[in-house]
Amino acid sequence: MADVQRHVAEELDRIAPVIDELGRRFTDGGHELALVGGPVRDAMLGRQHNDLDFTTSARPEETEAMLKGWADAVWDVGRAFGTIGCRKGDWQVEITTYRSESYDPDSRKPDVDFGDTLAGDLGRRDFTVNAMAVRVPGREFEDPYGGVVDLAHRVLRTPGRPEDSFSDDPLRMMRAARFAAQLGFTVDPAVVEAMTAMASRIEIISAERVRDELVKLICAPYPRLGLRLLVDTGLAELVLPELPALALERDEHHRHKDVYEHTLTVLEQAIDLEAERLEVPDFVARFAALMHDVGKPRTRRFLDDGSVTFHHHDVVGAKMTRKRMKALRFSNDDTDAVSKLVELHLRFHGYGTGEWTDSAVRRYVRDAGDQLERLHVLTRADCTTRNQRKADRLRRTYDDLEARIARLREQEELDSLRPDLDGNQIMEILGIGPGREVGQAYAHLLDLRMEHGPMSEEDARDALLAWAAQRQ
């Protein structure tokens, strides 16, 4: 407890330029103001925040008036929910009127009612560890629901009955999984029971809000905890059904309990690798790891000798991934990137012990495009064998592939691989104008470039003329 008090005191001193002056402004205006939620929780965990959330007795228009002359910028996009935002130097601040909100059983949008007390506002929050507050400027600590104890025990509980909380806002079930993944906390059995009983309630929540929670979960330090909770409660069946489907399928190598367990291991190994190669955390690489085998259930075939195959699960999985990401309203860029990685995740296994030609290596780089580093991460993470000799062999083989890519990249500028003649040169040599034939000639020269490496301009011209002559 002494450490918690010290962490909080240090954090409050750090953010004093905001909380002291802002607190005085609201107090002088006859209103209450309290730092609340994540910033208070994380202060106790020794984590710093530059995004500060406050709750107040002031109504939005009163909050906006008190921020003028103090904040560098003010915005009111959350006014309908009682929230006014502002920026002060490096600080991002959101101030929300005391409130209570609930969902109509058939509505995706909450009905917002403003409240009058801090205790009432804290009672409507999702979990006790987020239902703590510090009144400012006096710095009095408020914890009516035992959040400090739950924080010490690393457990997620709701301030009231979880059934009431999830009925008010079903997205809180997703948030339970997300906070488990972010904080490494366990979830109270009563909360798990309510999530299981009420999982279908998530269907009234918009795809965009579900997507945002899923991204935060996957980018958290312990995503396995959150994903397991989604699967065990049945929520995953509704928001990411491809994941629980994997638990029904035996891995063809029989080295894992099932493809589901293998997938979670690949995700964790990708996280370990991303620190060396990618920005951290990297959602695209992590989601590709999570989705890389989703095509297996649909492609499983049992052979007469008792073995099982999953032919073309990479292609099928890429299509399934694209469909799911579109349903969750992901951006086209993220959808394209993840789908490409899923489709390419098996490509390396054709490399054998290094038999690929330079042409095959060039095609590997070209097909991966700007996802090459992520493909390196996914391919390496996909090795979950417990056979150390085999694991070492696969690692050395991929090391060899990356070394060959590096050599070719240095020699041939692989990242900007193009034919040895551009479109204007093709048209001039063939005496034609823009059209389909130019694209076909370009593709032919690119194939030659991939197969044989760089050509001189004269050799490329001869090859182009030979191609054109064959077409006549």
Side-chain angles (χ1 to χ4, degrees):
M1 185 61 70
D3 286 343
V4 169
Q5 292 174 336
R6 177 174 54 82
H7 288 320
V8 172
E10 289 175 352
E11 179 64 0
L12 292 179
D13 287 343
R14 189 183 72 88
I15 64 178
V18 175
I19 63 174
D20 290 350
E21 187 172 350
L22 203 54
R24 282 193 294 269
R25 280 178 168 259
F26 276 74
T27 299
D28 292 345
H31 298 290
E32 299 176 352
L33 184 71
L35 185 70
V36 71
V40 178
R41 178 199 70 224
D42 286 351
M44 293 182 176
L45 295 172
R47 301 174 180 175
Q48 295 185 344
H49 262 277
N50 272 22
D51 294 341
L52 304 178
D53 295 327
F54 294 86
T55 187
T56 181
S57 59
R59 296 305 190 249
E61 63 276 9
E62 295 170 319
T63 295
E64 192 171 21
M66 279 181 281
L67 290 175
K68 288 182 178 177
W70 177 81
D72 298 329
V74 177
W75 52 88
D76 67 350
V77 292
R79 178 185 292 274
F81 300 100
T83 301
I84 301 296
C86 72
R87 177 176 54 80
K88 176 70 171 178
D90 293 332
W91 312 97
Q92 297 285 337
V93 174
E94 285 194 348
I95 304 174
T96 302
T97 302
Y98 295 156
R99 65 186 187 183
S100 61
E101 65 184 30
S102 60
Y103 276 77
D104 180 273
D106 300 315
S107 173
R108 291 183 173 184
K109 298 189 179 296
D111 297 321
V112 177
D113 295 318
F114 294 142
D116 298 310
T117 67
L118 176 59
D121 182 84
L122 295 178
R124 58 151 291 278
R125 293 182 178 267
D126 50 10
F127 302 105
T128 60
V129 296
N130 295 329
M132 300 179 288
V134 177
R135 293 182 182 272
V136 294
R139 302 191 182 183
E140 299 96 351
F141 180 61
E142 300 284 347
D143 180 24
Y145 300 101
V148 170
V149 174
D150 288 342
L151 201 67
H153 291 159
R154 302 177 64 83
V155 65
L156 289 173
R157 286 191 310 111
T158 54
R161 289 186 346 119
E163 293 84 359
D164 295 336
S165 180
F166 298 152
S167 180
D168 284 349
D169 185 353
L171 191 67
R172 289 173 177 169
M173 296 185 287
M174 292 285 297
R175 286 168 64 84
R178 189 247 291 185
F179 281 123
Q182 285 182 332
L183 302 172
F185 284 14
T186 59
V187 181
D188 183 74
V191 173
V192 175
E193 184 178 347
M195 291 171 66
T196 304
M198 302 178 67
S200 62
R201 190 99 167 93
I202 199 68
E203 293 179 312
I204 72 167
I205 302 298
S206 69
E208 290 83 357
R209 294 185 73 203
V210 170
R211 174 202 64 207
D212 291 347
E213 286 298 325
L214 194 59
V215 169
K216 292 174 184 177
L217 187 163
I218 290 169
C219 290
Y222 315 104
R224 181 189 282 258
L225 293 178
L227 293 167
R228 278 195 180 283
L229 185 60
L230 292 182
V231 171
D232 292 346
T233 57
L235 277 162
E237 289 280 359
L238 301 167
V239 301
L240 193 65
E242 295 80 6
L243 182 60
L246 295 176
L248 304 177
E249 304 302 321
R250 296 286 298 181
D251 183 82
E252 74 267 36
H253 301 301
H254 298 280
R255 293 193 175 93
H256 304 276
K257 180 179 178 182
D258 49 39
V259 183
Y260 170 65
E261 292 292 339
H262 163 74
T263 294
L264 296 180
T265 299
V266 172
L267 172 58
E268 290 183 328
Q269 294 187 167
I271 292 171
D272 291 339
L273 289 165
E274 75 179 4
E276 306 168 12
R277 295 169 170 265
L278 306 168
E279 294 183 7
V280 179
D282 189 280
F283 170 75
V284 168
R286 293 187 183 197
F287 200 56
L290 190 64
M291 300 296 283
H292 79 284
D293 273 349
V294 296
K296 281 189 171 180
R298 293 190 183 179
T299 58
R300 182 173 65 165
R301 298 291 182 270
F302 293 102
L303 304 183
D304 293 339
D305 62 4
S307 61
V308 61
T309 65
F310 301 94
H311 293 315
H312 307 301
H313 78 266
D314 46 347
V315 176
V316 172
K319 292 178 180 178
M320 294 171 64
T321 297
R322 183 174 294 279
K323 182 177 180 180
R324 178 55 50 199
M325 293 186 73
K326 285 186 175 180
L328 289 170
R329 306 290 194 271
F330 278 96
S331 69
N332 289 337
D333 286 347
D334 281 350
T335 300
D336 290 344
V338 176
S339 300
K340 176 185 285 188
L341 290 166
V342 172
E343 185 169 359
L344 294 176
H345 83 272
L346 288 182
R347 183 72 65 86
F348 161 70
H349 295 286
Y351 189 68
T353 55
E355 294 87 354
W356 276 4
T357 62
D358 283 351
S359 171
V361 175
R362 294 187 194 102
R363 292 182 188 279
Y364 189 77
V365 173
R366 180 194 177 196
D367 291 346
D370 59 1
Q371 300 305 312
L372 182 61
E373 278 301 317
R374 286 171 169 149
L375 183 58
H376 291 334
V377 167
L378 176 58
T379 304
R380 289 181 180 274
D382 197 23
C383 174
T384 59
T385 177
R386 295 173 185 171
N387 183 325
Q388 193 59 48
R389 291 179 63 184
K390 181 178 180 182
D392 290 343
R393 184 174 70 251
L394 286 170
R395 184 178 63 253
R396 288 194 301 270
T397 304
Y398 206 86
D399 287 344
D400 177 69
L401 174 58
E402 286 203 66
R404 290 183 63 188
I405 289 172
R407 287 195 299 272
L408 287 172
R409 176 179 279 147
E410 184 177 353
Q411 296 167 5
E412 304 178 12
E413 299 181 356
L414 283 185
D415 293 330
S416 55
L417 200 60
R418 293 181 176 85
D420 298 287
L421 300 173
D422 62 24
N424 289 328
Q425 290 172 304
I426 290 171
M427 288 188 288
E428 181 180 349
I429 292 169
L430 296 183
I432 59 176
R436 179 181 299 177
E437 190 174 4
V438 178
Q440 292 170 339
Y442 188 94
H444 174 70
L445 291 175
L446 182 57
D447 282 340
L448 292 179
R449 172 74 169 80
M450 298 289 290
E451 190 68 33
H452 304 293
M455 303 169 64
S456 67
E457 184 174 337
E458 182 179 354
D459 287 343
R461 182 179 185 279
D462 291 343
L464 176 63
L465 291 172
W467 171 83
Q470 291 176 353
R471 290 168 54 86
Q472 294 177 352

